Amino acid sequence: MKINRRSKLRKILITILLIPVVGILMIFLNYRMISFIASGHIYTETDLLPFRETTLVLGSGSSPEGLWENDSFLHRMEAATVVYNSGKTKKIIVSGMSNREFYNEPNDMKDALLKEGIPSHVIYPDHGGVRTWNSVERAQSYYKCKSVIIISQADQLERALFIAKCINLDAIGLAADPLHYKHRYWTIREY
C-alpha cells in the first residue's frame, strides 16, 4: 500500500514539474517558428525595400512635449518619413490604440508625420488597431490592401508578418531602429 501511494505521489510530482517545462518549451518553439516564417521579409535599409502602394505603421504613442520620449515612436516616424520621401510608398496607415483621453496613437503619429512634411491626404489614421492582429487585419479588410510595408521594431515585425501570412496579406517589413529592445521587458513580451 505504501509503495502504491509513493508511486502515485511520484507521478503527481513529475506531472506538476513537467507542466511548466512543457509550457515554456511550447512558448519558445512558437516564437522560433514565427521568427523563421518572418525571416527574409524584414528589411533594415530603405534603399533595398521594394515599392508597395501602402505602408502600415504599427501603433506607438507620444506624449505632450517635455513629459517623456518614446524611442519606438520616434524611430517609427523617422522610418515612415524616409519610406515616403524615397518614393517607396504612396499611402501611410497609422494604426494604434486611442481609448484614453490623453493617449491617441493614430493622431500622435499623424501629427508627427505632418510635422515632417508628409501631406495630410496620404495619412490614414486607423483607430481600430488596438493590437498588432487588429492593425494588420484591418489593413486588409477595412483599407482593402493587397500588399503592404509594415514599419515597427524587428521583434514586433516578426509577429506582424506572421499574422499577415496567416490572412494571406502580402507583407514586407522595415525595421525601425530597435533601440528600446535593450530592455528585457520587450524580449519577454514578444515571447
Side-chain angles (χ1 to χ4, degrees):
M1 187 94 163
K2 285 186 179 182
I3 295 175
N4 195 15
R5 199 175 206 174
R6 278 189 181 166
S7 176
K8 284 183 181 179
L9 281 173
R10 183 175 292 139
K11 286 179 183 179
I12 290 171
L13 183 60
I14 289 171
T15 301
I16 289 172
L17 293 173
L18 278 179
I19 289 173
V21 170
V22 170
I24 290 169
L25 182 62
M26 294 299 291
I27 290 169
F28 178 77
L29 290 175
N30 181 54
Y31 180 77
R32 299 313 309 155
M33 178 189 69
I34 290 170
S35 292
F36 177 76
I37 288 172
S39 66
H41 299 283
I42 297 177
Y43 293 79
T44 55
E45 297 178 35
T46 310
D47 295 345
L48 303 175
L49 194 66
F51 175 85
R52 294 290 189 270
E53 183 80 20
T54 306
T55 293
L56 170 64
V57 183
L58 296 178
S60 185
S62 189
S63 71
E65 212 168 299
L67 285 182
W68 54 276
E69 216 170 69
N70 183 343
D71 289 328
S72 297
F73 176 83
L74 297 174
H75 295 301
R76 290 178 198 184
M77 296 307 97
E78 180 182 319
T81 301
V82 170
V83 167
Y84 181 78
N85 288 338
S86 64
K88 301 289 185 172
T89 196
K90 290 184 178 180
K91 298 187 291 189
I92 301 173
I93 300 170
V94 287
S95 182
M97 193 181 332
S98 59
N99 65 355
R100 291 178 242 154
E101 186 179 345
F102 299 108
Y103 191 77
N104 190 319
E105 292 175 341
N107 288 354
D108 289 349
M109 291 189 287
K110 182 175 182 175
D111 290 344
L113 292 174
L114 289 171
K115 286 179 184 173
E116 293 297 323
I118 308 290
S120 180
H121 69 277
V122 303
I123 305 170
Y124 298 85
D126 175 27
H127 297 275
V130 295
R131 53 189 201 144
T132 306
W133 180 277
N134 297 109
S135 295
V136 175
E137 191 273 330
R138 285 175 56 81
Q140 182 184 50
S141 65
Y142 185 78
Y143 292 97
K144 306 299 183 204
C145 297
K146 302 282 186 237
S147 65
V148 295
I149 298 169
I150 302 174
I151 296 177
S152 187
Q153 276 63 34
D155 286 351
Q156 185 182 25
L157 269 179
E158 290 179 342
R159 194 164 25 100
L161 291 170
F162 178 78
I163 292 166
K165 184 158 185 71
C166 288
I167 63 172
N168 294 317
L169 174 63
D170 177 27
I172 55 175
L174 177 65
D177 188 284
L179 185 63
H180 75 280
Y181 284 94
K182 291 179 189 171
H183 303 290
R184 289 181 190 212
Y185 164 77
W186 293 104
T187 302
I188 292 168
R189 177 180 183 262
E190 290 307 320
Y191 272 96

